[in-house]
Amino acid sequence: MRLKSFTKLLVVFAVCLVPVLAFAEEAVKITDILVEGSKKIEAETIRSKMTVKPGDAFSPSRIRSDVSAIYKMGYFDDVKVEAEGYAGGIRLTIVVTERPILTSYSFEGNKELDSQKLREKVNLTAYSVYNPTLVQENVQKLKIFYQDEGYYNAEITPIIKRTSPKEIKVIFAIKEGDRVVISKVLFTGNDKISSRKLRKVMETKEHTFIWSWLTKSGTYKLNEFNQDMERIRGLYYNNGYLNVKIDEPVIILDDKKKGLTITIPVHEGDQFRLRDIKVVGNKIFSEKELIDSIASKPGQIMNRDQIRTDIITLTDLYGSKGYAFASISPIINTDNEKKAADITMDVSEGDKIFVSRINISGNVKTRDKVIRRELKFNEGEIYDTTSLKRSYERLHALEYFEDMEITPQRRTDNPDKVDLAVTVKEKSTGSFSIGGGYSTIDSLVGLGEVTQNNFLGRGQQLRVKGEIGSKRQNYVVSFTEPWLMDKPISLRVDLYKEERDYSGYKKRSTGGGLTLGKRFWEYYGINGSYNYSDERYFDVLTDIKEAFGDTLKLHTTS
């Protein structure tokens, strides 16, 4: 960073030193602060970065800190301070030299990865202030992207070209090099867990000709590899090796610069078993009730994931009784000599929580009551986290919403109550299709269908279908009300009409059906249906009529 000297400031300070000594009890004041050289950035924005204000005592250390803060804004090549006596004190002038404008950026030398893909990884903006730090950050992003694609040796150099005194462009000069694959993944120090099991939890894989071509695996991806180190640690933690350590991996490129050998040093340590489990801080449930509800038991090998699952189990247990903000913190004490671990579940139960208000938003079409009736709680009731999860599942099952959230918002005026914010993002619930076809029996056939699964926003389903051909006409209308009279009773009405020409006669069928259903508890229900059908025959040839006669058929089922 270039911060120009404070020469003028020091001269003024020396000039002011005499009156300061003459009036030792009064400090030299800053009477005014000006900004010069800034055209794109407002002067007030620059002054807002300063801790020194007019009226403050003159402080060289604070001014140096302010100059550094202004420079770190990233908009200036240079920042300096000039000072002069003014109105019985010192006037500071912040003189900035603005950086040029970045008009464009481009790529040269890239053959394997096209420029469009590279642009997706870069967050530079044309006609923004040039920021060299940001350019270097994008160089690193591009290098990581090339490594993820298998070009481990890719070199990227930013070339800055000045197109005018105030404008520049950036060219990323790229040397891609050859594609590099992972030849081997090796482990050292792993006596208790085999290399095969360790490799199995990793997303980073050794390159194989056919499999890697299909899955695009077998290349070194930095972010993915770092996550693999955590996956390996997790495997050891879940098998009782609480003191496991994994050193920095050693990555070696072969002589042909086409294959990587990755060696991961492991220090396993001892395996620990669970010796004792205790619970403290509990009042609502007894210690036995809580311990019996979890899967971890004394004598088992320590398993970190199982402990996490146990905490969720205990939290849900409290949540089902309205203690929605109960928290459980596991305290693990290890005995290295006996290779044992003791767990203390420290419970903070909190207060029983009640639902104050339910606020629904985001539903432009769907009526509030359609959403409310799927919620397993009402205003004034206990805030039950089990019911909350089920409410989310029921709303999701409607398939009316692209996304939804149910967020508890604790009230500041009453900590034992929450407002529930139900936020939904609606999606299209209707469909329309039209088509046609040809068959040797029906000749040309045209068909159309309209379906609306949230009719008029009431949660009702409506389906209308028509099929018209030279020898067949078929019409179907179906309507379903899932909450009849706002009760968990479903009603479905189906109507149809079909006319068809057969060889020697015509047939017309009309009918419908009525289905009633009642839901019990949460996952059970019963349905009953009644169907009616009226079939009539016309234009019957003599020989067929003699065999069948004129008929009227009524069919009912229940």
Side-chain angles (χ1 to χ4, degrees):
M1 178 174 68
R2 293 192 301 140
L3 298 178
K4 291 194 174 178
S5 65
F6 289 82
T7 305
K8 291 186 178 182
L9 178 63
L10 296 176
V11 170
V12 172
F13 179 70
V15 172
C16 295
L17 184 59
V18 175
V20 170
L21 292 175
F23 303 96
E25 293 183 358
E26 293 185 16
V28 177
K29 301 291 184 181
I30 297 173
T31 54
D32 195 15
I33 300 176
L34 301 178
V35 176
E36 291 183 358
S38 177
K39 296 181 180 179
K40 305 179 189 69
I41 309 301
E42 294 289 339
E44 191 56 40
T45 302
I46 296 172
R47 279 192 287 262
S48 69
K49 297 295 180 180
M50 301 180 66
T51 61
V52 174
K53 307 295 181 185
D56 290 352
F58 169 74
S59 172
S61 61
R62 288 179 64 189
I63 295 172
R64 282 195 295 270
S65 177
D66 287 347
V67 169
S68 177
I70 294 170
Y71 187 84
K72 288 179 180 178
M73 293 174 69
Y75 299 130
F76 311 111
D77 274 333
D78 187 32
V79 181
K80 66 179 180 179
V81 178
E82 295 177 352
E84 60 183 341
Y86 176 75
I90 294 178
R91 175 161 62 189
L92 300 181
T93 302
I94 312 300
V95 183
V96 297
T97 303
E98 289 185 328
R99 284 176 173 164
I101 294 296
L102 172 65
T103 58
S104 65
Y105 64 91
S106 59
F107 307 93
E108 289 185 359
N110 55 306
K111 297 179 180 178
E112 300 299 330
L113 301 182
D114 61 57
S115 296
Q116 182 57 40
K117 287 185 178 180
L118 299 179
R119 284 185 180 276
E120 293 174 1
K121 303 300 175 181
V122 173
N123 62 345
L124 296 177
T125 304
Y127 295 99
S128 62
V129 176
Y130 165 66
N131 187 334
T133 302
L134 186 59
V135 171
Q136 289 299 326
E137 290 175 358
N138 280 280
V139 168
Q140 294 304 313
K141 288 182 181 180
L142 291 171
K143 283 184 177 180
I144 291 174
F145 180 52
Y146 264 99
Q147 287 183 354
D148 288 351
E149 295 296 319
Y151 298 93
Y152 186 77
N153 298 316
E155 297 178 8
I156 300 169
T157 305
I159 299 173
I160 313 302
K161 285 191 174 183
R162 191 172 288 273
T163 57
S164 73
K166 296 182 180 180
E167 294 181 336
I168 65 166
K169 67 177 180 179
V170 175
I171 301 172
F172 293 100
I174 301 172
K175 293 182 180 179
E176 294 177 324
D178 294 328
R179 192 178 181 87
V180 178
V181 298
I182 298 174
S183 302
K184 294 180 181 178
V185 177
L186 306 175
F187 298 89
T188 60
N190 58 313
D191 299 323
K192 308 295 175 55
I193 298 182
S194 68
S195 297
R196 178 177 172 273
K197 289 183 178 179
L198 295 177
R199 291 191 193 98
K200 193 173 182 179
V201 301
M202 297 177 65
E203 291 296 324
T204 302
K205 305 294 183 183
E206 295 176 352
H207 183 270
T208 56
F209 178 72
I210 297 178
W211 184 250
S212 295
W213 179 77
L214 292 173
T215 62
K216 296 184 179 180
S217 61
T219 59
Y220 177 78
K221 301 180 180 180
L222 179 61
N223 292 333
E224 189 175 87
F225 186 76
N226 289 336
Q227 293 175 12
D228 284 338
M229 297 302 99
E230 292 303 315
R231 293 185 182 104
I232 292 172
R233 289 188 185 92
L235 179 62
Y236 273 100
Y237 291 150
N238 292 339
N239 283 274
Y241 297 93
L242 304 183
N243 296 327
V244 64
K245 293 182 179 178
I246 300 175
D247 292 340
E248 191 69 24
V250 178
I251 302 175
I252 298 176
L253 186 64
D254 65 20
D255 295 337
K256 296 181 179 179
K257 296 186 177 182
K258 291 187 176 182
L260 292 175
T261 298
I262 302 175
T263 303
I264 303 171
V266 178
H267 304 278
E268 294 177 321
D270 295 322
Q271 187 181 55
F272 286 74
R273 286 185 177 272
L274 181 56
R275 182 171 59 189
D276 189 26
I277 305 176
K278 294 180 179 178
V279 181
V280 296
N282 56 304
K283 295 179 181 179
I284 308 304
F285 298 98
S286 68
E287 184 177 30
K288 184 177 185 305
E289 285 178 303
L290 296 176
I291 291 177
D292 287 348
S293 67
I294 62 177
S296 295
K297 304 297 178 185
Q300 294 178 350
I301 293 173
M302 280 291 295
N303 185 320
R304 184 183 65 175
D305 282 356
Q306 184 58 63
I307 293 172
R308 288 174 174 171
T309 302
D310 291 339
I311 292 172
I312 294 173
T313 300
L314 294 178
T315 303
D316 288 345
L317 184 61
Y318 272 98
S320 67
K321 297 298 183 181
Y323 295 87
F325 297 105
S327 63
I328 292 91
S329 301
I331 301 172
I332 302 176
N333 294 312
T334 56
D335 185 338
N336 291 326
E337 183 178 343
K338 295 185 178 181
K339 302 175 185 178
D342 300 324
I343 298 179
T344 300
M345 297 291 188
D346 189 0
V347 179
S348 176
E349 295 178 330
D351 298 321
K352 183 175 285 190
I353 306 298
F354 294 85
V355 177
S356 177
R357 297 182 60 185
I358 300 174
N359 302 313
I360 300 173
S361 62
N363 53 319
V364 178
K365 176 184 177 181
T366 307
R367 302 193 179 194
D368 276 12
K369 75 171 187 178
V370 173
I371 297 175
R372 286 182 182 274
R373 67 195 185 192
E374 299 298 336
L375 303 179
K376 292 289 291 176
F377 39 74
N378 295 310
E379 294 170 341
E381 295 181 347
I382 291 174
Y383 174 51
D384 177 356
T385 56
T386 303
S387 295
L388 180 71
K389 292 179 181 178
R390 180 56 187 156
S391 298
Y392 185 89
E393 293 171 355
R394 287 165 62 115
L395 285 175
H396 186 268
L398 292 176
E399 296 188 349
Y400 300 163
F401 310 114
E402 181 180 324
D403 191 18
M404 71 195 77
E405 289 183 358
I406 305 177
T407 308
Q409 299 170 340
R410 204 162 188 174
R411 294 182 66 94
T412 56
D413 59 338
N414 198 338
D416 65 347
K417 290 187 177 182
V418 295
D419 293 336
L420 292 180
V422 182
T423 307
V424 298
K425 183 179 180 182
E426 293 179 318
K427 66 179 181 180
S428 175
T429 55
S431 64
F432 171 76
S433 62
I434 187 170
Y438 177 82
S439 70
T440 56
I441 297 175
D442 297 317
S443 299
L444 291 175
V445 178
L447 55 90
E449 182 175 354
V450 178
T451 303
Q452 177 52 255
N453 292 323
N454 187 13
F455 185 57
L456 300 177
R458 297 174 180 270
Q460 301 161 337
Q461 294 92 43
L462 176 65
R463 174 173 171 259
V464 179
K465 180 180 179 181
E467 189 175 359
I468 302 175
S470 59
K471 294 186 178 182
R472 179 174 58 179
Q473 296 183 24
N474 185 22
Y475 307 96
V476 177
V477 177
S478 178
F479 176 81
T480 302
E481 169 56 77
W483 285 75
L484 187 63
M485 296 180 293
D486 293 326
K487 298 184 181 298
I489 299 174
S490 63
L491 169 67
R492 174 170 173 168
V493 179
D494 295 294
L495 301 173
Y496 72 87
K497 179 179 180 181
E498 181 181 19
E499 293 185 6
R500 184 157 186 173
D501 289 350
Y502 291 92
S503 178
Y505 65 95
K506 295 180 180 180
K507 178 182 177 182
R508 178 189 297 160
S509 301
T510 57
L514 182 68
T515 302
L516 280 173
K518 176 70 170 70
R519 290 186 294 280
F520 297 97
W521 302 292
E522 183 62 30
Y523 299 99
Y524 301 95
I526 186 170
N527 293 323
S529 62
Y530 174 83
N531 296 308
Y532 169 86
S533 178
D534 178 356
E535 297 180 358
R536 296 177 182 270
Y537 298 83
F538 303 92
D539 300 333
V540 182
L541 295 177
T542 303
D543 53 346
I544 297 178
K545 187 174 182 179
E546 290 175 355
F548 294 98
D550 294 326
T551 62
L552 169 64
K553 294 184 179 179
L554 298 178
H555 300 281
T556 62
T557 60
S558 60

